[in-house]
Each structure stands twice: as structure tokens, then as C-alpha cells.
């Protein structure tokens, strides 16, 4: 496995075909020694996303994000530009949400009317040829409940993967901005 490593996670209005992303989180490990840098944002739903009123109270009970709070989030365009700034230099991010994360990423970028500068790869891809890494990763997550907030979920996965690869016990975490992450890539 190569560094840098980027994990992306979404929270959404529901799991239906009419669902839309409500929060995104990104966790970046430049290497196994440094801190994991994390950025997340609530996403203001576009008017076309809410026409079908696809809000599942069961999903809200999981992620604890009330619909009214989304008005404080960033627009789809702002979030898409931030994701391109963070992930674009690496070219890909990993996710554990399979087709759901891909669907919400597509919906976000379509609403923003820009193209993603990166691909989204399923986390399972890392484990296809490395069963030992898969077992270590699974053991680190076994007793660790996902918080179901995008930034924290991405951090949880990135931390476990970094620890599984490097064998270290703890990884520090630093909240940051897309501009600060983009600056890291321009320095190298």
C-alpha cells in the first residue's frame, strides 16, 4: 500500500434512489509517521434534491443531523471544489460505502456542475492481495463503533488502515482546511 492515503465518507438523507449527500468527510495520511488531517462539511441541499422530500427519520437517528442544520453547510459547488483541492493531487480516495458513496459523489458534482478531479475506489481493493493487512485492519475496527459522522468515520478508517500498515499503536489527528491540505501538496 502506498501513501498518501485518503479516505472519504458521506452521510446522506436516506439510502433510497432519491437520497442526497448531507455531509462529507475526508481523512488524509501523507505517511505513516505524521498526523491524519481531517476536513468535513455539512452540505446545503440543492432545491432539486429536496423536491421529493427524501428525508428518512431512521437515517437521522443514525447520523444525528437534523435537516434544518444543513442550511449552515456549504453549497455543493463549495464542497466539490474543496474535494478536488484535497483529493485531486493524489488522484483517488478510498471509501467503504461502495455504490452509495459513488452515487452521492456523482450527485454532489452534478449539482456543482463540475467534474471530479479524482476517482473513488472501494476500500476492499486494498485487501485483494493482502489478507494479512485485511485481518489487521479488521481487528483494529472490531470493537470500534462507527460514529456515523462523515469526518469521524473517515478518520476512524484512515487511522485503522495507517496503524495496520505501520504497526504503530496511535495516530494523531488534526482538523484542517482544504487550502491547508492543498498547500501540503504544493510544497512537495
Amino acid at each position: 500500500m502506498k501513501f498518501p492515503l485518503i479516505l472519504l465518507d458521506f452521510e446522506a438523507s436516506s439510502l433510497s434512489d432519491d437520497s442526497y449527500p448531507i455531509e462529507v468527510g475526508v481523512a488524509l495520511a501523507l505517511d505513516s509517521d505524521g498526523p491524519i488531517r481531517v476536513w468535513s462539511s455539512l452540505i446545503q441541499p440543492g432545491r432539486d434534491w429536496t423536491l421529493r422530500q427524501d428525508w428518512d427519520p431512521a437515517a437521522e437517528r443514525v447520523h444525528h443531523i437534523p435537516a434544518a442544520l444543513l442550511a449552515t453547510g456549504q453549497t455543493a459547488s463549495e464542497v466539490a471544489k474543496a474535494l478536488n483541492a484535497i483529493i485531486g493531487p493524489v488522484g483517488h480516495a478510498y471509501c467503504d460505502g461502495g455504490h452509495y458513496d459513488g452515487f452521492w459523489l456523482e450527485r454532489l458534482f452534478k449539482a456543482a456542475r463540475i467534474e471530479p478531479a479524482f476517482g473513488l475506489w472501494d476500500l476492499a481493493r486494498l485487501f485483494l492481495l493482502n489478507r494479512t493487512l485485511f485481518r489487521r485492519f479488521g481487528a483494529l475496527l472490531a470493537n470500534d463503533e462507527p460514529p456515523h459522522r462523515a469526518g469521524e468515520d473517515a478518520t476512524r478508517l484512515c487511522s485503522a488502515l495507517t496503524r495496520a500498515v505501520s504497526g504503530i499503536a496511535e495516530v494523531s489527528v488534526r482538523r484542517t482546511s482544504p487550502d491547508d491540505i492543498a498547500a501540503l501538496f504544493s510544497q512537495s
Side-chain angles (χ1 to χ4, degrees):
M1 189 192 86
K2 292 182 182 179
F3 286 90
L5 176 67
I6 301 178
L7 276 290
L8 178 141
D9 188 65
F10 281 105
E11 298 301 327
S13 63
S14 77
L15 296 178
S16 81
D17 289 343
D18 293 323
S19 66
Y20 51 90
I22 63 168
E23 184 180 46
V24 66
V26 179
L28 162 71
L30 287 175
D31 53 43
S32 61
D33 299 327
I36 293 174
R37 288 159 172 93
V38 182
W39 172 79
S40 63
S41 178
L42 293 172
I43 304 167
Q44 287 180 19
R47 201 165 134 309
D48 58 324
W49 288 355
T50 58
L51 288 176
R52 292 198 173 112
Q53 298 180 347
D54 184 75
W55 187 264
D56 185 351
E60 183 178 339
R61 284 191 295 277
V62 171
H63 54 60
H64 303 287
I65 302 170
L69 188 60
L70 300 181
T72 67
Q74 295 182 322
T75 66
S77 179
E78 292 167 327
V79 172
K81 287 175 186 173
L83 290 174
N84 275 347
I86 296 168
I87 305 169
V90 175
H92 64 274
Y94 292 98
C95 67
D96 72 338
H99 74 279
Y100 287 113
D101 285 334
F103 173 75
W104 295 320
L105 183 75
E106 183 179 325
R107 183 154 272 190
L108 174 72
F109 274 86
K110 185 176 179 183
R113 295 189 170 115
I114 59 176
E115 291 294 318
F118 60 91
L120 191 57
W121 298 352
D122 194 301
L123 187 56
R125 178 181 188 148
L126 288 174
F127 306 125
L128 289 175
L129 300 175
N130 193 334
R131 303 304 291 163
T132 302
L133 180 61
F134 177 70
R135 284 191 293 279
R136 284 186 203 149
F137 177 74
L140 288 165
L141 292 177
N143 296 317
D144 187 17
E145 279 297 312
H148 296 293
R149 288 300 300 258
E152 289 81 357
D153 286 350
T155 302
R156 174 180 171 267
L157 295 172
C158 191
S159 174
L161 194 51
T162 301
R163 291 169 32 219
V165 167
S166 66
I168 59 176
E170 292 296 321
V171 179
S172 64
V173 175
R174 182 181 304 157
R175 297 211 50 94
T176 190
S177 72
D179 290 340
D180 289 342
I181 293 173
L184 293 170
F185 291 114
S186 66
Q187 294 170 1
S188 47

